[in-house]
Amino acid sequence: MADRPLTLMAVHAHPDDEATGTGGVLAQYAAEGIRTVLVTCTDGGCGDGPGGAKPGEPGHDPAAVAAMRRSELEESCAVLKVSDLEMLDYADSGMMGWPSNDAPGSFWRTPVEEGAARLAELMRHYRPDVVVTYDENGFYGHPDHIQANRITMAALELTGLTPKVYWTTMPRSSMQRFGETMRELDPDMPEPDPAEAAAMAEIGLPDDEITTWVDTTAFSGQKFDSLAAHASQGENIFFLKMGKERFGEWMGMETFVRVRDTTGAPVPENDLFAGLR
């Protein structure tokens, strides 16, 4: 440990994912002198094109969208002071059920063994002390998030490394209040149908099942700015409508479930590096 810095590796699916769930910890730990490594698995090519053009619509060029989103990702990393950005550059698979799920080169279609082997090489290089990714359902069922979880857990098996491993989550108490806030900020937002409401109610975890609560409120301004760096996707980034102050109130606490640990640090904990320093 003495000859290398403590290292956090966050494995995310798309450009902008790094900001939403882990922007606070990336900024906070960078400020503490910890090496922060971001692995982004896809090129984000299924994001919005100019004027909000969606995949398959006139004006949507996946290659141009991917190039734009890479530039935005680099800007976001500069805001968060991320030490190292690694891109696997798989094709964005789009939302579950889209034809792009099965397109050649899509992340969802890529064999887990292939993606895991590439990620394992990065893990061997950086030797992270903490690894963060999504849960087995990709938090809300996005195919690329699910695949990011799969290759991360498989890569850990390949390397034999034993970092602390966390999955991002949200407390269900906050999810309920967040829905109320969304409707407050956008009165024209339609009420979800019962099936959608039931699915939303299953996102996140009961508060008492969350192991790790990291208060990153002091870095919420950086987190907001990193999200704002993804300007091409602004139409889809609801959090930006809150403004910085309210954003800090809502998004300052980042929560995780610790799924692997060799330190014996007691939970609940307020530091991903508890037991390591």
Side-chain angles (χ1 to χ4, degrees):
M1 296 287 289
D3 61 350
R4 64 182 182 86
L6 286 170
T7 299
L8 165 66
M9 176 179 282
V11 182
H12 281 292
H14 312 98
D16 78 23
D17 289 333
E18 80 288 342
T20 307
T22 58
V25 292
L26 286 168
Q28 176 170 313
Y29 289 128
E32 294 176 9
I34 289 171
R35 187 176 200 178
T36 52
V37 180
L38 171 63
V39 180
T40 301
C41 296
T42 80
D43 60 11
C46 284
D48 284 0
K54 308 298 182 186
E57 294 181 351
H60 189 282
D61 177 354
V65 171
M68 176 173 56
R69 297 196 71 185
R70 183 184 184 106
S71 177
E72 291 174 343
L73 178 60
E74 290 170 351
E75 182 181 346
S76 170
C77 287
V79 169
L80 297 174
K81 311 298 183 188
V82 168
S83 308
D84 301 271
L85 170 62
E86 299 282 356
M87 297 193 70
L88 300 185
D89 272 331
Y90 289 108
D92 188 344
S93 309
M95 300 298 287
M96 189 67 82
W98 286 13
S100 49
N101 292 175
D102 295 318
S106 76
F107 189 39
W108 182 240
R109 184 173 169 176
T110 299
V112 170
E113 296 78 10
E114 177 190 320
R118 293 183 62 195
L119 182 57
E121 284 303 304
L122 294 175
M123 288 181 174
R124 293 185 186 103
H125 175 71
Y126 290 107
R127 302 189 68 81
D129 302 282
V130 171
V131 172
V132 177
T133 192
Y134 315 98
D135 63 23
E136 292 162 312
N137 189 46
F139 186 58
Y140 67 97
H142 194 295
D144 288 331
H145 291 217
I146 294 170
Q147 189 77 329
N149 167 277
R150 290 173 176 171
I151 73 162
T152 300
M153 303 312 289
L156 288 164
E157 294 300 320
L158 286 174
T159 63
L161 296 173
T162 57
K164 296 178 79 177
V165 180
Y166 293 88
W167 294 345
T168 57
T169 191
M170 285 283 285
R172 285 191 182 152
S173 60
S174 294
M175 291 296 294
Q176 181 178 356
R177 294 197 305 273
F178 181 66
E180 295 166 358
T181 299
M182 289 175 68
R183 285 187 288 276
E184 177 188 331
L185 292 175
D186 187 359
D188 296 327
M189 178 179 291
E191 288 289 332
D193 63 45
E196 184 180 343
M200 285 292 291
E202 293 301 311
I203 292 178
L205 288 172
D207 294 28
D208 60 1
E209 293 183 21
I210 293 173
T211 64
T212 311
W213 304 70
V214 185
D215 185 352
T216 65
T217 305
F219 298 88
S220 61
Q222 276 177 262
K223 181 173 179 174
F224 183 94
D225 290 344
S226 74
L227 202 55
H230 297 280
S232 69
Q233 308 305 305
E235 179 184 321
N236 297 323
I237 302 176
F238 178 85
F239 305 106
L240 295 176
K241 299 177 183 178
M242 295 181 174
K244 267 192 178 180
E245 183 175 350
R246 196 159 195 183
F247 179 88
E249 295 170 2
W250 272 104
M251 303 296 288
M253 183 70 72
E254 294 186 347
T255 50
F256 307 86
V257 175
R258 193 173 82 188
V259 293
R260 293 195 183 183
D261 173 62
T262 58
T263 69
V267 293
E269 60 188 0
N270 60 10
D271 177 12
L272 298 179
F273 289 85
L276 294 169
R277 55 180 177 170

